[in-house]
Amino acid sequence: MALTPQKHSIPLSDGNSIPLIGLGTYSNPQNTPKGTALAAVKRAIEVGYRHIDGALIYCNEDEVGQAIREKIADGTVKREDIFYCGKPGDTFYPQDENGKCAYHKSNLCATWEAMEACKDAGLAKSIGVSNFNKRQLELILNKPGLKHKPVINQVECHPYFTQPKLREYCREKNIVIVGYSPLGTNRDPSWVNLECPPMLEDKLLTSIAQKYKKTTAQVCLRFNMQRGVVVIPKSFNLDRIKDNFQVFDFSLSEEEIKAIEGLNKNIRFVVLPFWADHPEYPFHEEY
Ligand code: A2P
């Protein structure tokens, strides 16, 4: 399939489709000035993005919504052209009286049933999961009375963490992988595992980028997109937002894809160790 800036969506198992590239919008709210997400999302829509990945917990969803509304109002896009991924919740990071994380008591199947109700009520067109391992996906897929299958699993995925096993399992089950941190994160030590070296400085990725006169970031994005993995690079820099979308004027060869897959280190940038004692912490299992 030839991917173009106008046509780069892939089908979901529920009949909808998802653009292979979206703008990630997570940024530490403490050091992101008000209005930054608004300007970034408007810029993204102007340069061609039709998929925005957000969440209430990113503390900027109001700005993301405002940007989309403004771009609809000025005629740049129609609402139905935008794929928006949101992630709901009520209390952020609740703690017990000792300051420890107070985990939610409901189980994943009950939560999934609430998600199904959202879809049935027309609050969401497509529903999926994030950070699920194979066991957790099976739990949902084998749930008695399952009404709607998860159509995506949003997990870390990039040349240093290519997810071969989870990707194969999801392919069998017709679940699309949305790869977060496709550029290797912002390397903020407060939540990023820095044992994994800076990906955008990788020698092979850099040499392939030079060959095509592209950036290493564009090679990372194109790599996943050609493998059918959706990418959601985060940038709030107006030039990089545009650059990251310039991934339709070159194509990696099969050999290059294989070589990049060979960079897999099986080390996550995003380990979330502070939640490792949660009964559903997903990363104790291999995949
Ligand atoms: P910024 O928002 O200043 O552009 P990921 O999507 O893997 O989490 O990576 C996001 C990080 O990568 C952010 O720190 C973002 O910073 C930076 N970034 C985004 N696009 C590029 C790019 N083309 N080259 C280098 N860094 C980038």
Side-chain angles (χ1 to χ4, degrees):
M1 175 180 70
L3 305 173
T4 70
Q6 291 76 27
K7 244 178 155 337
H8 54 269
S9 289
I10 56 168
L12 297 171
S13 69
D14 61 3
N16 294 325
S17 59
I18 184 168
L20 269 170
I21 179 164
L23 181 77
T25 62
Y26 172 71
S27 177
N28 183 345
Q30 252 118 50
N31 50 32
T32 308
K34 273 248 151 291
T36 311
L38 172 69
V41 174
K42 282 171 67 173
R43 170 72 166 176
I45 294 173
E46 282 159 10
V47 302
Y49 291 73
R50 293 295 176 261
H51 168 187
I52 315 290
D53 184 82
L56 185 63
I57 207 155
Y58 300 168
C59 299
N60 58 17
E61 210 181 24
D62 52 335
E63 292 186 28
V64 174
Q66 191 187 332
I68 295 172
R69 267 198 307 277
E70 287 184 21
K71 286 287 119 193
I72 293 171
D74 75 7
T76 309
V77 279
K78 299 200 200 71
R79 175 62 186 92
E80 58 268 31
D81 297 332
I82 298 282
F83 187 105
Y84 180 70
C85 172
K87 305 158 196 122
D90 37 30
T91 322
F92 295 169
Y93 310 120
Q95 293 184 342
D96 65 16
E97 56 280 11
N98 303 316
K100 261 198 82 196
C101 287
Y103 294 138
H104 203 269
K105 296 274 187 310
S106 70
N107 62 44
L108 294 181
C109 286
T111 305
W112 186 252
E113 285 167 7
M115 300 273 289
E116 291 180 323
C118 288
K119 179 170 163 88
D120 288 339
L123 300 174
K125 288 192 174 163
S126 293
I127 51 174
V129 295
S130 180
N131 285 326
F132 269 37
N133 60 32
K134 178 183 176 210
R135 178 188 61 76
Q136 292 167 322
L137 288 170
E138 276 181 337
L139 194 73
I140 304 297
L141 294 174
N142 298 332
K143 188 185 83 65
L146 181 71
K147 213 168 163 195
H148 303 298
K149 279 174 41 168
V151 297
I152 62 153
N153 186 17
Q154 186 181 123
V155 293
E156 177 172 349
C157 193
H158 48 69
Y160 281 180
F161 197 71
T162 55
Q163 296 270 23
K165 292 185 179 174
L166 188 62
R167 195 170 149 252
E168 176 56 22
Y169 176 76
C170 286
R171 197 190 56 75
E172 279 166 24
K173 302 294 175 188
N174 213 354
I175 296 171
V176 167
I177 298 250
V178 177
Y180 69 65
S181 305
L183 303 177
T185 79
N186 61 3
R187 302 189 66 82
D188 173 346
S190 71
W191 61 278
V192 176
N193 168 23
L194 298 183
E195 275 170 40
C196 208
M199 194 171 72
L200 296 183
E201 293 168 19
D202 182 273
K203 273 209 181 101
L204 175 71
L205 295 172
T206 311
S207 70
I208 293 175
Q210 278 166 355
K211 171 179 163 190
Y212 290 106
K213 299 195 169 45
K214 302 299 289 184
T215 66
T216 313
Q218 288 162 338
V219 169
C220 291
L221 298 174
R222 182 78 200 189
F223 162 71
N224 261 341
M225 292 168 73
Q226 277 185 229
R227 304 188 318 145
V229 173
V230 177
V231 287
I232 45 171
K234 178 267 169 180
S235 182
F236 282 178
N237 172 289
L238 301 187
D239 293 330
R240 286 192 287 273
I241 289 171
K242 183 167 185 226
D243 285 352
N244 292 344
F245 197 74
Q246 308 307 307
V247 284
F248 299 100
D249 56 357
F250 76 114
S251 175
L252 300 169
S253 69
E254 278 304 310
E255 295 74 47
E256 285 162 343
I257 297 270
K258 288 256 152 11
I260 297 174
E261 281 176 337
L263 295 175
N264 184 26
K265 296 183 187 303
N266 262 322
I267 308 173
R268 294 174 190 277
F269 281 117
V270 185
V271 182
L272 309 174
F274 25 88
W275 294 322
D277 61 341
H278 189 288
E280 284 294 353
Y281 178 78
F283 306 147
H284 294 310
E285 280 110 311
E286 185 200 352
Y287 73 101

